[in-house]
Amino acid sequence: MASQGLPLRVATLLTGLLECLGFAGVLFGWASLVFVFKTEHYFEELCEPNAGLTGNATLTGNVTGQTDCKAQDEKFSLIFTLASFMNNFMTFPTGYIFDRFKTTVARLIAIFLYTTATLTIAFTSAESALLLFLAMPMLTVGGILFLITNLQVGNLFGKHRSTIITLYNGAFDSSSAVFLVIKLLYEQGVSLRASFLFFSVFSVWHVGRTFLLLPRGHIPYPLPPNYRYGLCSGKDSREEEQKTVESKELEGQSEFISPKEEFPDPGQQKELHSFWSYAFSRRFAWHLMWLSMIQLWHYLFIGTLNSLLTTLAKGDRALVSIYTNAFAITQFFGVLCAPWNGLLMDQLKQRYQKKASKTGFSASAVALCSTVPSLALTSLLCLGFALCASVPVLPLQYVTFILQVISRSFLYGGNAAFLTLAFPPEHFGKIFGLVMALSAIVSLLQFPIFTFIKGPLQNDPFYVNVMLVLVTLLTFIHPFLVYRECQRKEGPPAIA
């Protein structure tokens, strides 16, 4: 790394971290924003006369009837379901936009969507609350584009690349605390409009960072000598980027192809490099199930948290506010939890590489074995979180919040790491986009589940929780199958 470029790269790193922390994943602080929306009487006209809030409702005091306003809760749940679906499903097309049109165009689209969304929310009122169905998905897609364009910053720091990527993912999780700040400011007299107008003004900062601290194209990996970008680049570095593509692919392929596959027959060559052969593989199918089931739990919990806390607190808004704040504060610590999963996998990979050098194990076996503890630990954390969330005891939800943020941090970091290690690099973008898009379709189940609980089950989620806990147990099959697979890859060399 050239010393003259170090200040620029550090500035790019720190401003990218701030961008992810303050803007990228704010949707997942939805419970804090719902509290404010309810105080502003959004969708309150849907409540039955004896179930809604009284006209004199304030931020404090008890409102016992609120627990019965299921139509209002269903609207908020539907908005979150749509927005969280877009968060995952749009990873595929936004990734394509980033690959095809490069950094500057992708970020300008992100800024347009994000600014339009914040302005829409700022000027929305209880009478025009339906605009939230447009604004929240736009806010989400803009945020995911911010994350995607920032992940390449890790390429500037060589051996620290994985650490920076997991740190940015953790910052994405922690940004859900931003809506807590909006809620606390609202309780101190700062209007919702003022907060979101402040967000809109920040688009100037995003634009400045786009042109001054990021390249017009992509940041290549490995980084070419004397690589320049942003304001300091005399010319576009596309040529340098292109030169690194072939070496990057060749370097990455060796990790995924076992010795038996290095010299395939002519008839096998097509199958080896076919994207669809990987997309229809058992490994991909079980990983999709693992991600979808755990993610469904998290989305259902976040999207219905306000309703759950209102029920457990028997409509006490002051108590709901305290627990909502506690949840949002724990979300902030996602940035500290996420790197631990990457550190665990890096350490295990180094350990297995030493073992491979002595026994002749294949590189693909080393990569797979390093993912097993992470996959299993993520399933275990989700099981603990699911069990705590299923117990209708309000103080226990503090433990639920802690397990939820750790589990969620491990989930997305582990997902990206597994796909990186388990599939060829030339297919990574398509595989990652496909698994996120398909898991997004599964996440749509959160709304009918919520409606089922509010309707036929009469606000008693016990049977649904039992079913979801049993489904969570199925996620342990994935790490077990991966372990069996890497053992089969290890077996022959060990015997020899």
Side-chain angles (χ1 to χ4, degrees):
M1 183 186 302
S3 58
Q4 63 183 16
L6 182 59
L8 176 65
R9 297 179 191 193
V10 171
T12 301
L13 170 67
L14 295 180
T15 54
L17 185 64
L18 178 62
E19 191 169 75
C20 289
L21 192 60
F23 302 92
V26 293
L27 170 71
F28 298 101
W30 180 242
S32 298
L33 201 58
V34 167
F35 186 90
V36 177
F37 286 150
K38 284 188 173 182
T39 307
E40 288 287 312
H41 312 298
Y42 283 44
F43 301 117
E44 191 177 303
E45 69 278 2
L46 300 175
C47 300
E48 296 177 8
N50 62 343
L53 303 177
T54 62
N56 299 320
T58 61
L59 284 171
T60 58
N62 296 341
V63 187
T64 56
Q66 188 185 6
T67 56
D68 297 324
C69 192
K70 65 178 183 179
Q72 183 188 38
D73 288 335
E74 284 177 358
K75 282 290 185 183
F76 287 123
S77 177
L78 185 57
I79 292 170
F80 180 79
T81 299
L82 179 62
S84 58
F85 168 78
M86 296 295 284
N87 178 72
N88 281 13
F89 188 80
M90 290 302 291
T91 303
F92 199 23
T94 53
Y96 173 79
I97 289 171
F98 177 56
D99 286 344
R100 176 68 179 84
F101 299 103
K102 308 297 192 291
T103 302
T104 300
V105 172
R107 286 184 58 82
L108 290 176
I109 293 172
I111 294 166
F112 171 77
L113 291 172
Y114 208 93
T115 306
T116 303
T118 51
L119 286 173
T120 301
I121 298 171
F123 291 100
T124 297
S125 63
E127 290 72 29
S128 56
L130 286 174
L131 287 174
L132 293 176
F133 281 96
L134 175 66
M136 294 311 298
M138 291 177 69
L139 190 75
T140 303
V141 176
I144 199 68
L145 261 173
F146 280 145
L147 176 65
I148 289 173
T149 55
N150 275 310
L151 288 179
Q152 62 179 331
V153 173
N155 296 347
L156 295 172
F157 295 89
K159 63 181 180 179
H160 303 296
R161 179 175 177 243
S162 297
T163 304
I164 291 169
I165 289 173
T166 54
L167 186 65
Y168 274 16
N169 274 285
F172 178 86
D173 290 340
S174 295
S175 64
S176 57
V178 169
F179 282 167
L180 168 64
V181 176
I182 290 177
K183 174 181 176 292
L184 293 176
L185 289 173
Y186 179 83
E187 292 174 340
Q188 297 302 315
V190 178
S191 69
L192 198 63
R193 176 171 296 181
S195 294
F196 277 95
L197 283 176
F198 177 77
F199 267 95
S200 303
V201 170
F202 245 93
S203 61
V204 176
W205 181 75
H206 295 308
V207 171
R209 186 169 179 272
T210 299
F211 289 103
L212 300 179
L213 295 177
L214 286 168
R216 281 184 288 173
H218 294 141
I219 299 175
Y221 183 82
L223 209 62
N226 303 317
Y227 176 72
R228 301 172 71 84
Y229 67 95
L231 189 63
C232 295
S233 61
K235 59 179 181 176
D236 197 279
S237 53
R238 288 172 194 162
E239 248 181 71
E240 292 176 339
E241 182 181 332
Q242 184 63 33
K243 289 177 184 177
T244 62
V245 170
E246 290 181 15
S247 60
K248 177 183 174 183
E249 290 184 356
L250 290 173
E251 180 183 314
Q253 275 184 352
S254 62
E255 187 171 288
F256 302 92
I257 303 174
S258 64
K260 291 182 179 178
E261 295 171 327
E262 287 176 358
F263 304 101
D265 296 332
Q268 293 177 323
Q269 185 69 36
K270 185 178 179 181
E271 182 182 355
L272 178 64
H273 295 287
S274 167
F275 162 69
W276 293 110
S277 67
Y278 293 107
F280 287 107
S281 66
R282 187 180 70 172
R283 182 189 297 178
F284 179 86
W286 278 106
H287 184 72
L288 175 62
M289 185 279 296
W290 176 84
L291 174 66
S292 299
M293 293 302 102
I294 297 177
Q295 181 176 261
L296 178 61
W297 248 118
H298 286 286
Y299 281 5
L300 183 63
F301 181 75
I302 295 171
T304 61
L305 180 62
N306 183 268
S307 176
L308 171 68
L309 293 178
T310 302
T311 301
L312 294 181
K314 295 180 171 57
D316 186 337
R317 287 181 61 82
L319 204 53
V320 172
S321 179
I322 290 171
Y323 276 86
T324 301
N325 293 351
F327 173 73
I329 290 169
T330 57
Q331 297 301 296
F332 180 77
F333 290 96
V335 69
L336 302 178
C337 300
W340 288 101
N341 195 19
L343 182 62
L344 171 66
M345 297 182 73
D346 284 342
Q347 291 296 319
L348 286 170
K349 190 175 179 183
Q350 291 175 15
R351 176 184 165 189
Y352 285 123
Q353 281 173 341
K354 291 178 182 177
K355 183 179 177 183
S357 64
K358 295 177 182 178
T359 60
F361 291 163
S362 67
S364 58
V366 171
L368 279 175
C369 285
S370 67
T371 67
V372 173
S374 172
L375 295 172
L377 182 58
T378 304
S379 293
L380 185 62
L381 286 168
C382 181
L383 181 61
F385 150 63
L387 289 172
C388 291
S390 301
V391 178
V393 176
L394 192 58
L396 185 61
Q397 300 314 306
Y398 286 121
V399 180
T400 306
F401 298 161
I402 294 170
L403 290 174
Q404 190 270 339
V405 70
I406 298 174
S407 172
R408 185 162 170 259
S409 297
F410 271 55
L411 174 65
Y412 292 109
N415 170 54
F418 177 81
L419 295 177
T420 301
L421 296 172
F423 296 96
E426 65 267 26
H427 297 312
F428 173 76
K430 296 185 288 293
I431 289 286
F432 183 79
L434 182 62
V435 78
M436 295 302 285
L438 293 176
S439 68
I441 295 173
V442 177
S443 73
L444 291 174
L445 290 173
Q446 61 184 295
F447 182 68
I449 289 173
F450 177 76
T451 306
F452 184 62
I453 292 171
K454 284 288 185 178
L457 294 183
Q458 298 181 346
N459 219 26
D460 181 7
F462 175 76
Y463 294 107
V464 169
N465 288 339
V466 169
M467 180 187 68
L468 289 175
V469 167
L470 292 176
V471 169
T472 304
L473 290 173
L474 295 177
T475 63
F476 285 95
I477 296 175
H478 180 45
F480 174 73
L481 291 177
V482 173
Y483 175 76
R484 288 283 300 274
E485 187 174 349
C486 76
Q487 287 296 309
R488 284 198 299 269
K489 285 177 179 288
E490 290 180 359
I495 294 171

